[in-house]
Amino acid sequence: MMIILRPGTTEDKIAQLDEFVRKTGVEVQRIQGQDTTILGLSGDTSRIDPGMFDIFECVERTVKVAEPYKKANRKYHPQNTVIKAGNVEIGGNKIVVMAGPCSVESEAQVLSVARDCKRSGAAVLRGGAFKPRSSPYAFQGLGLDGLEMLKVAGRKTGMPIVSEIMSTEYIEQFERDVDIIQVGARNMQNFVLLRELSHIHKPILLKRGLAATVEELLMAAEYIMAGGNDQVILCERGIRTFETYTRNTLDLSVVPVLKRQSHLPVVVDPSHGTGLWWMVEPMSKAAIAAGADGLIIEVHNDPPHAKCDGQQSLTPMVFDKLMGSLRMIAQVEGRDI
Ligand code: PEP
Ligand code: MN
């Protein structure tokens, strides 16, 4: 961190600031330019709020040099993190496709979709039991009954399951029944939830918030990791922009950024990222080409009658065709699927 002082700052003002800064427990080095004086801070600056120095009139601005995320940072952990969920590894050479309905609607529905997805090559079964809906009048999910149905379908097909948690109330249940716990976009900065999830030993699929920056996403991951749970999978699922043609703007440029800045696996959700079923194939291909470690895709047995997100769901037949083309892209990238 560097504090840039205003031109003409007197020596006694610099000494006062220097003393204040040292009290935070860091070292201070002075850099003297012709017109500008800079105080360089070294040591553990992660707990320092750069804004705290603005109360000194002599401070022009403070610049952060090191990233505030440590555990999620590739700098301190150069190798890719590989996360195990059941018999599936996420973050290795193999691209992991997670597929299933937006929400679990019945035991027969989730089982039939699970069987089709498995046959086409999906490795993980997705399905929402607790649904974060914009309208309180829309279908909210089957709750614990839905979770049980997903669990049965996972067991019958031999696939690990991923499902969204919406509150701390069901953590024990999720820890017991689910292989990967999803934190949805709307809860990416639910710090109470993140903190609770940091104390358990389960992989967490952390979705990027609707308007979250890369740093905010990585700081949310840091919350989970800071408490001791280092099994975090990052997920790009589209962000809110001025564009209205697509449901969200799928920010694939974030994939190489996250892979560069962090050692955590990166998964892309082209279903919520675009909101349109026919965009799922091109965006999935692009995600793999961009370096994603996996995809999470909505598949429904009868999209026109889906209780949630039918317009962005693939039929099992379209999903099967998609898997065929993804195999070719993966091969070009030197990866398995
Ligand atoms: C979902 O995966 O069903 C979901 C609600 O996703 P998001 O949190 O990205 O909107
Ligand atoms: Mn959905």
Side-chain angles (χ1 to χ4, degrees):
M1 194 175 286
M2 291 194 298
I3 305 173
I4 300 151
L5 304 184
R6 289 164 74 136
T9 300
T10 57
E11 281 303 323
D12 61 322
K13 294 274 185 231
I14 296 176
Q16 269 174 24
L17 178 61
D18 187 286
E19 194 191 336
F20 180 84
V21 175
R22 282 178 199 277
K23 280 192 184 144
T24 65
V26 296
E27 291 293 309
V28 181
Q29 275 94 32
R30 180 166 165 172
I31 304 157
Q32 191 60 58
Q34 199 167 359
D35 305 311
T36 312
T37 305
I38 295 173
L39 299 185
L41 280 53
S42 54
D44 182 12
T45 56
S46 61
R47 286 170 205 278
I48 298 179
D49 170 11
M52 74 193 278
F53 305 119
D54 290 350
I55 49 163
F56 287 85
E57 221 186 297
C58 62
V59 172
E60 188 160 283
R61 68 199 150 93
T62 304
V63 182
K64 281 193 292 177
V65 180
E67 296 88 3
Y69 45 90
K70 303 289 173 211
K71 292 186 188 293
N73 201 323
R74 195 181 274 283
K75 229 180 248 171
Y76 313 109
H77 189 298
Q79 312 85 356
N80 286 334
T81 283
V82 178
I83 292 172
K84 257 181 101 80
N87 54 352
V88 175
E89 286 190 344
I90 304 141
N93 190 54
K94 205 170 167 131
I95 289 162
V96 174
V97 178
M98 308 178 187
C102 175
S103 59
V104 175
E105 296 174 12
S106 71
E107 202 172 323
Q109 173 247 9
V110 70
L111 183 59
S112 116
V113 175
R115 286 194 166 129
D116 287 335
C117 291
K118 167 90 178 181
R119 203 174 307 118
S120 300
V124 176
L125 175 64
R126 67 147 285 151
F130 295 89
K131 297 303 303 175
R133 304 304 301 276
S134 302
S135 164
Y137 309 117
F139 175 61
Q140 306 285 309
L142 298 180
L144 291 179
D145 292 342
L147 202 61
E148 185 59 30
M149 293 171 193
L150 184 70
K151 195 171 120 186
V152 170
R155 210 168 39 220
K156 286 192 174 162
T157 52
M159 282 196 277
I161 56 172
V162 55
S163 199
E164 176 168 353
I165 193 162
M166 281 180 36
S167 79
T168 53
E169 196 185 340
Y170 296 117
I171 284 193
E172 272 177 36
Q173 189 102 20
F174 271 72
E175 190 180 9
R176 192 170 56 238
D177 293 347
V178 170
D179 301 287
I180 303 173
I181 303 177
Q182 177 175 326
V183 173
R186 291 154 192 83
N187 272 315
M188 190 204 83
Q189 285 189 320
N190 180 339
F191 299 119
V192 175
L193 181 61
L194 299 180
R195 231 185 246 294
E196 286 299 319
L197 293 171
S198 79
H199 301 310
I200 64 171
H201 296 283
K202 265 283 145 119
I204 309 292
L205 179 79
L206 178 65
K207 295 189 111 185
R208 183 182 183 184
L210 274 67
T213 62
V214 167
E215 190 170 298
E216 284 164 343
L217 172 59
L218 290 172
M219 288 307 279
E222 194 77 13
Y223 257 90
I224 300 169
M225 299 174 86
N229 184 357
D230 49 16
Q231 302 181 76
V232 182
I233 303 160
L234 304 169
C235 179
E236 161 59 28
R237 48 77 70 203
I239 47 170
R240 191 59 72 78
T241 68
F242 53 81
E243 184 53 71
T244 54
Y245 188 93
T246 45
R247 179 176 179 180
N248 290 295
T249 298
L250 185 63
D251 180 13
L252 288 181
S253 68
V254 87
V255 176
V257 175
L258 291 173
K259 295 298 295 181
R260 185 184 172 93
Q261 295 299 115
S262 176
H263 52 88
L264 298 171
V266 177
V267 163
V268 170
D269 175 349
S271 307
H272 294 89
T274 64
L276 298 163
W277 70 271
W278 53 270
M279 285 194 72
V280 171
E281 175 167 342
M283 291 298 99
S284 297
K285 289 176 178 168
I288 293 179
D293 298 299
L295 294 160
I296 180 161
I297 295 172
E298 288 187 343
V299 179
H300 195 278
N301 50 313
D302 182 12
H305 296 104
K307 289 208 159 103
C308 184
D309 288 351
Q311 72 290 356
Q312 67 191 35
S313 299
L314 303 186
T315 60
M317 222 162 79
V318 173
F319 178 68
D320 190 63
K321 183 179 155 284
L322 166 72
M323 288 300 287
S325 42
L326 294 185
R327 276 186 201 103
M328 289 190 278
I329 303 286
Q331 199 180 2
V332 172
E333 289 297 319
R335 301 185 74 164
D336 295 326
I337 195 160

